[in-house]
Amino acid sequence: MTPETRPDLSAHIARGLSDLRNLVALQSVSAQGRMLLETAGAVAGLLRAEGFTVREYPGQVAPVLVAEAGSGPFTLLIYNHYDVQPEDPAGLWESPPFTLTERDGRLYGRGASDDKGEFVSRLAGLRALRERHGGQLPLRVKWLLEGEEEVGSPSLEAFVQEHAAELRADGVWWEFGSVTPEGQPILYAGLKGIVCLELRCRVAASDLHSSTGAVVDNPLFRLSRAVASLRDEEGNVTIPGFHEDIRAENQADLDAISALPGHGEALLRGYEVTRPLGTPGDYHRRMNLMPVVNINGFHGGYGGQGSKTVLPAEGMVKIDFRLVPDQQPDRVVQLLRAHLDAQGLDDIEIVELESHQHPARSDLNSPFVKVAARVAREVHGHEPLLHPSSGGSGPMYPFMQHVGAPVVAMGIGNPTGRVHAPNENILRRDFENGVRFALEFMDALGQG
Amino acid sequence: MTPETRPDLSAHIARGLSDLRNLVALQSVSAQGRMLLETAGAVAGLLRAEGFTVREYPGQVAPVLVAEAGSGPFTLLIYNHYDVQPEDPAGLWESPPFTLTERDGRLYGRGASDDKGEFVSRLAGLRALRERHGGQLPLRVKWLLEGEEEVGSPSLEAFVQEHAAELRADGVWWEFGSVTPEGQPILYAGLKGIVCLELRCRVAASDLHSSTGAVVDNPLFRLSRAVASLRDEEGNVTIPGFHEDIRAENQADLDAISALPGHGEALLRGYEVTRPLGTPGDYHRRMNLMPVVNINGFHGGYGGQGSKTVLPAEGMVKIDFRLVPDQQPDRVVQLLRAHLDAQGLDDIEIVELESHQHPARSDLNSPFVKVAARVAREVHGHEPLLHPSSGGSGPMYPFMQHVGAPVVAMGIGNPTGRVHAPNENILRRDFENGVRFALEFMDALGQG
């Protein structure tokens, strides 16, 4: 679709931005339990106005909404969330965080991108689709919205499992996605799994003078030994058994990776990375397909100026594992425990920090993913960057497992969108194309 | 000497306590530059009143005093310091920190033990010695007092080297020492050396999302690998070349160690140590004779509640090495650098945190050490615990190197003396015996 043949969506775009302004004004910060019921109500109201039936279920922090409308051969499940991150540090915002503000082609506000902007761009596209089809939707749309995503989706996995029949669909449209500065849409067909752990070691009731290091073991040495044993110099995890469950790489994934441009120059140069891992040619394979262990934090003993000759009583390390299909989070924890024990590090305690997430990756050959890529190419006028998997994680697995459908992430974010940070923003261009994509994606799915 | 034959020292003890009260009242906190000149002046006045000539030299923070008096075949150099640690946290003191206060057989106050109590107990013994010898001292006494010990003695090594001739002596009496709760005097004939370092690693200009751990190395992993390579499970340093300069163990040291009672039960039980190093029978050998590497602190990345999936840009580790004769601090730093480089950890920066200290250990067979042990036995009525070396460190080496004499540490501290902490204290019993020891020790030395 060339720009000349684009439908005039200006009214739908304007109404979408008005919806976004209203939703951004609702301070639905899940971490602080702020305005979650009001925001759920506003979202339900917007959906009911488009003919959706909306059911509201209790979550641990905020209600889960399941909306349904339309009919047709294809059933699409859309996943979004209506909660946002806290606005802290509020002083760093250049305009009020809960007032959608346009400057230089960008729209600023908490949730403008993550995830209210995603939701309303899709809703605006759906309105245009209804208009195109005389008030009807040519497909079945199920819309799941939660209000707990920014606190780790504590209710989601059980909810999706319990409501599997109700949520059954032919494809799942994930809650995020992004567009490069040059306008290339970025699609993800999977997410890595994640396991977040803390390792703790204690050798005494209180800190000792460091001269006693001759006769008392050091918890920071023991934790260092544990950490050093987790991977090799190239970043390969060295826990026995860790790689056993990994699904064989498939040609479609490898082909998609070969088609991705560059070798991560934006990331590596932007952050002035002095120690990249792997070879340049390996960048995308590693980001998409390789499991990783990360040290998020290491703390114990003295950290101030100069020296303090102390033998700390205790220390702790925070780590995360990024998993790929078909690794199992619980099995990774068991393998780590056995690995530490086998090295005599059985005194190191493993604390599981939050609910794990399984890895999930859709088949790039599935028609659903292919339609998404084709429509993205037409709408954005650029070849899409199709990633078999994001390097990041999220609760995608329960959808694939229980809904039984491929998942694709495609949306309106941008690399400098400052999601979770002050001055969160979207490009107006990306929002407008997001409305167009929603319209044409759902229309194409409805055509079977 | 049985209690019945002890000379009546009550007047000298009372005067010593009065001196101590006056000195504790002078808030000579070197870290804060408080009242150092006044305190140096008060100390010089006390010494001049006993016939000492006193020379005052500039230090970096406070004057160095060198006093001399008496004559005889033996020259004793006494080393003390007149500065103290800060009183913080002041709110935890049960009586005012700068008011010497007696409760339940103990005397509380900042400097009561470290080091004003040591100084005045020796001075009171010297007064008794002069009285016994008709106003004369039967030996040459040189007294070096600095006011910078609590900030790492930055001037001392160069001063001792420069004034070697002026300080020449037949034996050096170290500034501290202690007595067990049961009344056994503890003597040290050496101190370990020390090297304090910081290891730093940085991989990027700012923190990254932990998903980038697939393509960016982790500074906390690299530091963990460095730390894990420093020693083995038993605490033996594994840096190539580290043990090359260590002097062979001698029989006198091993005999002294065999004579030490117990296996560190007070320390290990008192601190509820769950991971002792070495075997129980090895406790004293390790504390006295074994070089050690210690991890004092390890910090980088997230340390709060729960998880944060961050790849930290940087991290740092603080370590100290405790050295034994004849290891050289500078050589240890060179060996560490080579060891890290050999493992591909050449990006880890080594920062030297403060002036190093060489290890120092006197010959236990020297007459000076033997006299100290004999007099300690007689005065305290208990077999002394003679340690070839403390596990701790201090600037003893320049004395042995430039003054050319054996050194022994014997004093009035106690294991619950809370040195450097609130409620610093000495036992009145230990102070009284300290005066007696000073008298009899110097008298014995004067007899040749």
Side-chain angles (χ1 to χ4, degrees):
Chain A
M1 186 183 321
T2 59
E4 298 80 59
T5 66
R6 285 183 175 184
D8 179 10
L9 291 179
S10 54
H12 291 293
I13 288 165
R15 190 165 160 205
L17 289 176
S18 167
D19 292 339
L20 182 54
R21 190 165 293 109
N22 293 337
L23 287 182
V24 165
L26 296 173
Q27 308 183 10
S28 51
V29 179
S30 49
Q32 299 160 349
R34 284 156 66 187
M35 297 187 73
L36 296 167
L37 292 178
E38 294 90 328
T39 311
V43 166
L46 288 167
L47 288 166
R48 286 196 181 100
E50 303 309 320
F52 280 85
T53 61
V54 182
R55 291 180 296 279
E56 187 174 318
Y57 298 94
Q60 287 184 41
V61 175
V64 181
L65 305 178
V66 178
E68 291 191 48
S71 63
F74 194 93
T75 298
L76 173 68
L77 174 61
I78 309 178
Y79 164 53
N80 286 106
H81 62 90
Y82 60 82
D83 62 320
V84 295
Q85 283 276 320
E87 69 274 30
D88 306 335
L92 296 183
W93 286 81
E94 290 175 24
S95 50
F98 296 106
T99 303
L100 189 72
T101 306
E102 186 159 5
R103 285 195 301 280
D104 302 327
R106 287 180 192 250
L107 295 149
Y108 291 85
R110 173 57 83 230
S113 178
D114 179 19
D115 190 44
K116 291 168 175 174
E118 297 284 3
F119 167 63
V120 301
S121 64
R122 295 168 186 192
L123 181 66
L126 181 135
R127 287 189 189 120
L129 182 66
R130 285 185 77 204
E131 186 180 77
R132 183 182 281 176
H133 291 271
Q136 301 300 314
L137 288 175
L139 77 172
R140 182 82 177 151
V141 175
K142 297 179 178 179
W143 213 318
L144 172 67
L145 288 118
E146 66 161 324
E148 309 175 336
E149 200 271 347
E150 300 296 2
V151 291
S153 301
S155 314
L156 192 66
E157 177 154 8
F159 183 87
V160 173
Q161 180 166 8
E162 201 174 314
H163 296 259
E166 181 182 349
L167 297 171
R168 188 153 297 280
D170 302 305
V172 180
W173 187 3
W174 200 248
E175 50 105 2
F176 66 72
S178 58
V179 182
T180 70
E182 297 74 27
Q184 278 189 289
I186 305 171
L187 279 74
Y188 297 103
L191 293 178
K192 287 184 179 172
I194 191 165
V195 171
C196 291
L197 304 173
E198 193 169 301
L199 305 182
R200 294 182 190 161
C201 184
R202 169 177 280 278
V203 301
S206 63
D207 292 355
L208 295 104
H209 190 268
S210 84
S211 61
T212 62
V215 293
V216 179
D217 209 342
N218 188 301
L220 306 181
F221 169 77
R222 296 187 69 71
L223 288 168
S224 292
R225 214 158 73 73
V227 168
S229 76
L230 297 179
R231 41 159 279 205
D232 65 17
E233 272 303 270
E234 284 73 43
N236 302 299
V237 176
T238 47
I239 299 171
F242 181 81
H243 295 86
E244 275 172 14
D245 294 332
I246 297 178
R247 192 189 296 174
E249 293 182 348
N250 71 61
Q251 199 53 47
D253 288 352
L254 295 175
D255 290 347
I257 284 166
S258 319
L260 292 171
H263 306 298
E265 289 80 1
L267 176 84
L268 299 175
R269 287 191 197 145
Y271 283 90
E272 299 172 33
V273 170
T274 55
R275 295 203 62 90
L277 282 174
T279 58
D282 227 16
Y283 179 88
H284 291 298
R285 196 190 59 80
R286 296 177 71 99
M287 282 297 281
N288 280 263
L289 303 183
M290 182 174 157
V292 184
V293 62
N294 242 292
I295 322 305
N296 310 128
F298 196 143
H299 291 279
Y302 184 64
Q305 282 292 307
S307 67
K308 183 179 178 186
T309 48
V310 66
L311 193 171
E314 61 179 335
M316 69 93 168
V317 176
K318 289 180 191 277
I319 61 178
D320 72 65
F321 289 93
R322 302 283 176 168
L323 308 181
V324 298
D326 296 309
Q327 292 181 299
Q328 304 287 326
D330 287 344
R331 179 153 159 75
V332 167
V333 178
Q334 291 160 8
L335 291 170
L336 173 63
R337 177 74 274 162
H339 176 58
L340 295 179
D341 292 353
Q343 297 174 85
L345 297 171
D346 49 313
D347 57 309
I348 292 183
E349 184 188 2
I350 300 175
V351 181
E352 302 184 34
L353 288 180
E354 55 190 34
S355 12
H356 309 316
Q357 282 168 350
H358 285 73
R361 203 187 297 153
S362 303
D363 180 358
L364 293 189
N365 289 320
S366 73
F368 179 66
V369 174
K370 286 182 175 292
V371 168
R374 174 175 59 76
V375 174
R377 183 185 304 111
E378 291 168 357
V379 166
H380 287 267
H382 288 280
E383 192 61 29
L385 304 175
L386 176 56
H387 290 260
S389 176
S390 164
S393 306
M396 189 180 274
Y397 177 80
F399 288 88
M400 295 190 64
Q401 176 81 348
H402 303 301
V403 177
V407 181
V408 71
M410 168 66 203
I412 64 164
N414 70 85
T416 52
R418 299 183 185 279
V419 161
H420 292 202
N423 303 310
E424 176 176 348
N425 69 83
I426 52 174
L427 274 72
R428 176 184 265 271
R429 174 199 73 182
D430 295 338
F431 184 84
E432 293 176 357
N433 282 334
V435 175
R436 289 189 185 97
F437 177 82
L439 163 60
E440 303 299 346
F441 183 41
M442 288 188 278
D443 206 4
L445 293 173
Q447 289 158 29
Chain B
M1 187 183 319
T2 60
E4 298 80 59
T5 66
R6 286 182 173 184
D8 179 11
L9 291 178
S10 54
H12 290 293
I13 289 166
R15 193 165 158 205
L17 288 177
S18 168
D19 292 339
L20 183 55
R21 189 165 296 110
N22 294 337
L23 287 183
V24 165
L26 297 173
Q27 307 183 12
S28 51
V29 179
S30 49
Q32 298 160 350
R34 284 156 66 186
M35 296 186 74
L36 295 168
L37 292 179
E38 295 89 327
T39 311
V43 166
L46 287 168
L47 289 166
R48 287 195 181 101
E50 301 310 320
F52 279 85
T53 60
V54 182
R55 292 180 295 279
E56 187 175 317
Y57 299 94
Q60 288 185 40
V61 175
V64 181
L65 305 178
V66 178
E68 291 191 51
S71 63
F74 194 93
T75 298
L76 173 67
L77 174 61
I78 309 178
Y79 165 54
N80 284 106
H81 63 90
Y82 60 83
D83 62 321
V84 295
Q85 283 276 321
E87 70 274 30
D88 306 336
L92 296 184
W93 285 83
E94 290 174 24
S95 50
F98 297 106
T99 303
L100 189 72
T101 306
E102 185 160 7
R103 285 194 301 280
D104 303 327
R106 288 180 191 251
L107 295 148
Y108 292 85
R110 173 57 83 229
S113 177
D114 179 18
D115 190 44
K116 291 169 176 174
E118 297 285 2
F119 166 63
V120 299
S121 64
R122 295 168 185 192
L123 181 66
L126 182 134
R127 287 189 189 118
L129 182 66
R130 286 184 76 203
E131 185 180 78
R132 184 183 279 174
H133 290 271
Q136 302 299 315
L137 288 174
L139 77 171
R140 182 83 178 151
V141 175
K142 297 180 179 179
W143 212 319
L144 172 67
L145 288 118
E146 66 161 325
E148 309 176 336
E149 200 272 347
E150 301 295 3
V151 290
S153 301
S155 314
L156 192 66
E157 178 154 5
F159 183 88
V160 173
Q161 181 167 5
E162 201 174 315
H163 296 259
E166 181 182 349
L167 297 171
R168 188 153 297 281
D170 301 305
V172 181
W173 187 2
W174 200 249
E175 49 105 1
F176 66 72
S178 57
V179 182
T180 70
E182 297 73 26
Q184 279 187 289
I186 305 171
L187 279 74
Y188 297 103
L191 293 177
K192 287 183 179 172
I194 190 166
V195 171
C196 291
L197 304 173
E198 193 169 300
L199 306 182
R200 294 182 190 161
C201 183
R202 168 178 281 278
V203 300
S206 63
D207 292 356
L208 296 104
H209 190 268
S210 84
S211 61
T212 63
V215 292
V216 179
D217 209 343
N218 189 300
L220 306 181
F221 169 76
R222 296 187 68 72
L223 288 168
S224 292
R225 213 157 74 74
V227 167
S229 77
L230 297 179
R231 42 159 280 206
D232 65 17
E233 272 302 89
E234 284 72 43
N236 302 299
V237 175
T238 47
I239 299 171
F242 181 81
H243 294 87
E244 275 171 14
D245 294 331
I246 297 178
R247 192 188 296 174
E249 292 183 349
N250 71 61
Q251 200 53 46
D253 287 353
L254 295 176
D255 291 346
I257 284 166
S258 319
L260 293 171
H263 307 298
E265 289 81 1
L267 176 83
L268 299 174
R269 286 191 198 144
Y271 283 90
E272 299 173 34
V273 170
T274 54
R275 295 203 62 91
L277 282 174
T279 58
D282 227 17
Y283 179 88
H284 291 298
R285 195 190 59 79
R286 296 177 72 98
M287 282 296 281
N288 280 264
L289 304 183
M290 182 175 157
V292 184
V293 61
N294 243 292
I295 322 305
N296 310 128
F298 196 144
H299 291 278
Y302 184 64
Q305 282 292 306
S307 67
K308 183 178 178 186
T309 48
V310 65
L311 194 171
E314 62 179 334
M316 69 92 169
V317 176
K318 289 180 191 276
I319 61 178
D320 72 65
F321 289 92
R322 301 284 178 168
L323 308 180
V324 299
D326 296 311
Q327 293 181 297
Q328 305 287 326
D330 287 344
R331 179 152 159 77
V332 166
V333 179
Q334 291 161 8
L335 291 170
L336 173 63
R337 177 74 274 162
H339 176 59
L340 295 179
D341 291 353
Q343 296 174 86
L345 298 171
D346 49 314
D347 58 310
I348 292 183
E349 184 188 2
I350 300 176
V351 181
E352 302 184 35
L353 289 181
E354 55 190 34
S355 14
H356 309 316
Q357 282 168 349
H358 284 73
R361 201 188 296 153
S362 303
D363 181 359
L364 293 189
N365 288 322
S366 74
F368 179 66
V369 174
K370 286 183 175 291
V371 168
R374 174 176 59 77
V375 174
R377 183 186 304 111
E378 291 167 359
V379 165
H380 287 268
H382 288 280
E383 192 60 31
L385 304 175
L386 176 57
H387 290 260
S389 175
S390 164
S393 306
M396 190 181 274
Y397 177 80
F399 287 88
M400 295 189 64
Q401 176 81 346
H402 303 301
V403 177
V407 182
V408 71
M410 167 66 202
I412 63 165
N414 71 84
T416 53
R418 299 183 186 278
V419 162
H420 292 201
N423 304 309
E424 176 177 349
N425 68 83
I426 52 172
L427 274 72
R428 176 183 264 271
R429 176 199 73 183
D430 295 338
F431 183 85
E432 293 176 357
N433 282 333
V435 177
R436 288 190 185 97
F437 177 82
L439 164 61
E440 302 299 345
F441 182 40
M442 289 189 278
D443 207 4
L445 293 173
Q447 288 158 29

